[in-house]
Amino acid sequence: MSDRTQLHIDGQLVRVKAGSSVAAALRIAGGMGAARTSVTGQPRAPFCGMGVCQECRVQIDGRRRLACQTVCAEGMRVETTA
Ligand code: FES
């Protein structure tokens, strides 16, 4: 069993340590780790890390989820949302 998990973030293949959160994977993927874009066009990234602020909302395998509350799974497809 590998100690790494592979997933796709906006089509980019990302490898993370097994057990990492999707919020961590967003950061590892590069940039500022933005999860979505605000209504005024500003990038939003995970802030609280404990499921309260909702700034980490993303689409995971077609469902809206909180990146900070979701553990990466092999083959997972994450889309940052508008
Ligand atoms: S970072 Fe605040 S809810 Fe996920």
Side-chain angles (χ1 to χ4, degrees), residues 45-57 66-69:
F47 180 68
C48 72
M50 58 184 188
V52 175
C53 74
Q54 309 286 305
E55 293 288 8
C56 66
R57 293 188 308 264
L66 295 177
C68 73
Q69 299 297 299

Side-chain angles (χ1 to χ4, degrees), residues 26-67:
L26 288 170
R27 188 72 176 131
I28 289 167
M32 63 177 287
R36 64 186 188 90
T37 304
S38 74
V39 293
T40 59
Q42 297 175 319
R44 295 294 188 195
F47 180 68
C48 72
M50 58 184 188
V52 175
C53 74
Q54 309 286 305
E55 293 288 8
C56 66
R57 293 188 308 264
V58 292
Q59 294 282 332
I60 298 176
D61 295 332
R63 299 184 68 189
R64 182 167 284 192
R65 307 274 299 270
L66 295 177

